[in-house]
Amino acid sequence: MQAHGSVRKTRRLRCAAGTGMPIAVSRPVDAVIDFLEAEKARGVTHVALDDEAKEVLRELYRRARAGTRPAVKQAAVPAAPPVTTAPPAPATAAVTEVSATGTTKTARLASLRAQAETWPPARSLGTLRQTMVFATGNPDARLMLVGEAPGHEEERKREPFVGPAGQKLTDILKAMGLSRDEVYLSNIVKFRPSTPRQTTNNRKPSPEEMAACLPFIRAEVEIIRPECIIALGGTAAEGLLGGVGSVSSLRGSWHEFAGIPLRVTFHPSFLLRSQADLTTKRQLWEDMLSVMERLDMEISEKQRGFFLPKD
Ligand code: URA
C-alpha cells in the first residue's frame, strides 16, 4: 500500500489523537499498523495523510532511526506508508526541540515549563492525560531526583511527588537532613499516563512516552547542573540510561546522565509495599549514604546505622 500517487482506492488517515482512528489500542504505532492492515484487507491501496498524522509518523520515524524506541516493533515502522512519503523533518522543526530562554535559571525553567504544556511529541501520542506537571524545588539544587511520571495526586496538585510515594520521599530526604525545597524534584514524563476508565489508578509510562518527554529532563539538567542525580525506580533508570537492567543490578554503583553522576535506587513507592523488608530499606538507605558522601554532606553515626539489623 502506498501513501500517495494515483489512487485506486484511497482512505483518509487522520491522527490517532483525532477521531479518524477507528481502533482503540494503547500505542499509536500499533493503531496505525492495525488500521492499515485492515484497510489493505478491504482492498484499499492508498492512504492520504493529514498534517497532524504526518507529524506523528515523522516523529516515530525519527525516534526509530535514532534508536530511542527499543520496545517498538522495529520492523513495522519502516513498513508504515509515511516513511516513503514523509522524510525526517528538517532540523528546524520546532516541535522536537526545546529551547530554554531567559537570563536566570528560574526564567529558563519557566520557559521550559511553558513549552511542556503543549509539547506536540507528547500530546500527539494520545496516551497521556491533559494536565502537565513539571517539577518543583530549588533551581540551584546540588541534588536532583527524577521519577517516572505524575500520578493521580500529582496531577491534582500539579506538583511531582505529593502522593503517598511523595510522602515517603519527603521522609527519606528528611532522614538525609534535606528538605524538598533544597533539592530539585522532577519526572521524565510530564503528564500522567492514561488508562481506560481511569480513576485514581496510575500506570508506568511507556518507552515512547519517556522518549517524547526526555528533551525536558535533559534541558532541566542543563539548567540546574546538579552535582548528583538520583533515578527513582527502574522506569526512571530505563528512561535516563537507555533501558538496561533492573534496579537491583543498577544500584550500588555510579552511572552518568549528561555528564552528571547518577545513582539508581528503588522507587519510594516500592517501600510502601509489603515486600519491602529491612534489607530493601537498608539498600535504599545505602544508596542515599553514597549520595551524601558524594555531596560531602556530614553523616552522623546514627544516620550510618539506619535500617541495620539489631543484634
Ligand atoms: N511517582 C513518580 O515517579 N513521580 C511522581 O511524581 C509521583 C509518583
Side-chain angles (χ1 to χ4, degrees), residues 4-311:
H4 271 297
S6 61
V7 176
R8 248 187 302 146
K9 203 167 175 190
T10 300
R11 268 297 298 262
R12 188 152 288 278
L13 178 58
R14 285 186 282 156
C15 176
T19 55
M21 196 64 68
I23 302 161
V25 295
S26 58
R27 293 194 312 173
V29 70
D30 290 338
V32 171
I33 292 161
D34 290 349
F35 173 74
L36 293 173
E37 274 171 2
E39 289 304 295
K40 192 173 167 192
R42 281 169 11 98
V44 174
T45 52
H46 292 70
V47 290
L49 307 176
D50 73 7
D51 287 343
E52 203 182 354
K54 280 183 198 160
E55 188 47 50
V56 170
L57 290 160
R58 272 193 203 109
E59 178 59 19
L60 290 168
Y61 178 66
R62 275 194 291 270
R63 283 191 230 147
R65 286 197 62 167
T68 53
R69 304 179 58 249
V72 166
K73 294 176 195 167
Q74 292 291 350
V77 174
V83 170
T84 55
T85 57
T92 51
V95 289
T96 55
E97 304 273 328
V98 296
S99 63
T101 54
T103 51
T104 63
K105 285 185 172 188
T106 305
R108 295 178 75 207
L109 288 170
S111 94
L112 281 186
R113 182 185 291 256
Q115 287 166 71
E117 289 286 355
T118 55
W119 185 234
R123 291 256 175 245
S124 61
L125 291 174
T127 57
L128 296 167
R129 289 166 62 95
Q130 294 294 311
T131 307
M132 199 280 294
V133 181
F134 198 68
T136 188
N138 190 337
D140 292 315
R142 300 176 67 206
L143 175 60
M144 174 166 174
L145 297 101
V146 182
E148 48 191 44
H152 170 70
E153 276 302 307
E154 286 75 24
E155 183 184 65
R156 212 167 61 80
K157 299 197 178 134
R158 298 203 69 168
E159 182 175 331
F161 287 105
V162 289
Q167 285 295 326
K168 186 53 84 183
L169 182 60
T170 306
D171 293 345
I172 294 167
L173 290 170
K174 198 167 160 203
M176 296 169 78
L178 293 168
S179 71
R180 285 170 69 95
D181 297 341
E182 285 173 277
V183 300
Y184 184 84
L185 294 175
S186 196
N187 282 309
I188 298 187
V189 175
K190 307 301 188 198
F191 304 84
R192 183 177 167 211
S194 65
T195 66
R197 293 177 296 283
Q198 192 164 21
T199 53
T200 57
N201 52 317
N202 301 314
R203 73 163 165 85
K204 70 177 196 172
S206 67
E208 289 80 6
E209 290 162 347
M210 290 198 281
C213 292
L214 204 61
F216 285 99
I217 214 74
R218 284 194 185 285
E220 288 168 270
V221 169
E222 198 48 50
I223 293 170
I224 308 286
R225 296 309 296 170
E227 288 169 49
C228 183
I229 298 172
I230 300 177
L232 296 165
T235 308
E238 180 188 326
L240 295 175
L241 299 175
V244 277
S246 61
V247 173
S248 299
S249 65
L250 292 170
R251 62 164 297 280
S253 60
W254 287 99
H255 305 268
E256 209 179 88
F257 180 76
I260 310 282
L262 178 144
R263 202 86 184 177
V264 176
T265 196
F266 298 105
H267 194 280
S269 64
F270 189 65
L271 295 195
L272 299 172
R273 299 195 196 135
S274 52
Q275 68 265 42
D277 53 12
L278 195 65
T279 308
T280 311
K281 288 178 185 164
R282 176 67 196 178
Q283 285 176 334
L284 182 143
W285 184 244
E286 281 173 4
D287 297 330
M288 297 303 127
L289 288 175
S290 305
V291 167
M292 290 168 77
E293 277 165 6
R294 181 113 208 172
L295 296 176
D296 282 327
M297 290 170 66
E298 235 171 72
I299 306 176
S300 69
E301 275 314 299
K302 189 173 167 201
Q303 281 173 314
R304 288 210 182 274
F306 284 166
F307 304 114
L308 279 177
K310 309 234 181 314
D311 351 273

